[in-house]
Amino acid sequence: HGTTPPQAAERTFSLTNQKRFVFLLGQFDQALIERKLGEIIHLRDEDSEKPITLFLSVVGGDAVAAIAFHNCVKLLKVNLRVVVVGEAYSAGIMVLCAGTSRAAWRGAKFFFHDLARSLSGPQTATHMALHGKILEEIEARDSLIISEITGNSITEVTDWKKQERMMDDIVNLCFEEAG
């Protein structure tokens, strides 16, 4: 008499809920932000003093959604410990910065880049100029947040992102080693 998949999923949810674990894995987008913020708010409302652990492995995604996630977590004063268990690429860096504490498993990978390389979509000169202006504003917010977390200047953060390289050697993101 095996466990049916819905029962297994319910048991897994119950266990992760009791342990106050949230898993954010894959590509970051608006739908994922809504689900994960819902889980985090639910756990915070149960007990705002107990920390919530967010296990993170994100290979990038929607920069606007990532900044919104960061801002919501900070606005709601969530006691959120973020643990990178795989990758924190691009939008994942912003999610990582949302944590009140941050940790990374040995071998975790970090990468971010200048958002201008993400420019695509509208083909008219007017639309491309507008899209470019919006990306510049998002880039400035992103760099400011990372600067505040790392203690590095906005210019240094911007230079890192323009280099478009792995950022594993940046240890001043206030990490502790998780494993």
Side-chain angles (χ1 to χ4, degrees):
H1 298 33
T3 305
T4 63
Q7 291 168 328
E10 185 176 311
R11 226 180 24 246
T12 300
F13 177 77
S14 176
L15 177 62
T16 58
N17 202 22
Q18 289 170 8
K19 298 283 188 185
R20 301 177 64 79
F21 293 161
V22 175
F23 295 89
L24 202 163
L25 311 168
Q27 184 93 8
F28 198 74
D29 62 20
Q30 193 64 39
L32 188 57
I33 186 178
E34 290 174 18
R35 285 194 317 273
K36 297 307 165 180
L37 279 174
E39 290 176 40
I40 289 167
I41 290 168
H42 170 77
L43 292 170
R44 190 225 38 198
D45 287 349
E46 282 184 348
D47 187 338
S48 62
E49 298 299 314
K50 283 186 181 176
I52 299 165
T53 301
L54 174 70
F55 293 99
L56 177 69
S57 185
V58 174
V59 294
D62 185 338
V64 174
I67 291 172
F69 179 90
H70 172 276
N71 292 344
C72 286
V73 167
K74 293 298 186 185
L75 177 70
L76 296 170
K77 296 180 170 74
V78 177
N79 185 357
L80 185 67
R81 179 171 194 252
V82 180
V83 179
V84 179
V85 295
E87 298 85 21
Y89 291 178
S90 192
I93 296 287
M94 188 57 46
V95 174
L96 176 63
C97 289
T100 50
S101 68
R102 290 162 293 284
W105 283 88
R106 193 178 348 243
K109 299 291 180 194
F110 305 88
F111 175 80
F112 55 64
H113 58 85
D114 186 340
L115 292 176
R117 81 175 214 172
S118 302
L119 185 60
S120 64
Q123 298 302 315
T124 69
T126 303
H127 282 107
M128 288 186 76
L130 179 59
H131 195 165
K133 183 173 174 30
I134 291 167
L135 281 176
E136 285 175 13
E137 291 172 6
I138 294 167
E139 186 78 49
R141 281 186 281 169
D142 181 72
S143 293
L144 175 63
I145 291 167
I146 293 169
S147 171
E148 289 172 351
I149 294 295
T150 64
N152 293 91
S153 72
I154 292 173
T155 303
E156 288 174 303
V157 171
T158 301
D159 288 346
W160 293 340
K161 290 176 1 180
K162 286 180 181 173
Q163 293 171 17
E164 295 188 10
R165 62 183 178 89
M166 298 303 289
M167 305 306 291
D168 304 342
D169 56 334
I170 295 177
V171 294
N172 57 348
L173 275 172
C174 310
F175 287 119
E176 59 184 84
E177 195 167 292

